[in-house]
Amino acid sequence: MFKFIKGNLEQIDGVEIYPIISLLIFFIFFAGLFLWVFTAKKSHIETVSNIPLEDDTINTNND
């Protein structure tokens, strides 16, 4: 199966740049996420972490 994909990709000019771009996008996203986690205010993280525990929803099930 891989030989069919590899054979088609070898015929595309400049195809070697796509894995590099994918790796850069992946790395930049997770590096940014890592920085955001360590620079976020603790009060904001506590507020967001308590959202699933709050029971402010109105249940409109009439079953």
Side-chain angles (χ1 to χ4, degrees):
M1 176 83 178
F2 182 69
K3 65 182 177 178
F4 298 117
I5 296 171
K6 186 178 176 185
N8 289 333
L9 290 177
E10 286 176 347
Q11 297 175 3
I12 300 173
D13 291 332
V15 76
E16 63 273 356
I17 194 71
Y18 293 116
I20 296 169
I21 292 172
S22 299
L23 181 65
L24 284 175
I25 291 171
F26 177 82
F27 180 76
I28 290 169
F29 175 77
F30 282 103
L33 192 62
F34 184 77
L35 288 174
W36 178 79
V37 166
F38 281 107
T39 59
K41 294 180 182 176
K42 187 166 181 130
S43 62
H44 174 69
I45 293 178
E46 288 176 1
T47 303
V48 173
S49 67
N50 287 328
I51 289 174
L53 303 175
E54 295 174 359
D55 193 20
D56 292 342
T57 59
I58 298 172
N59 192 358
T60 59
N61 261 347
N62 294 333
D63 292 337

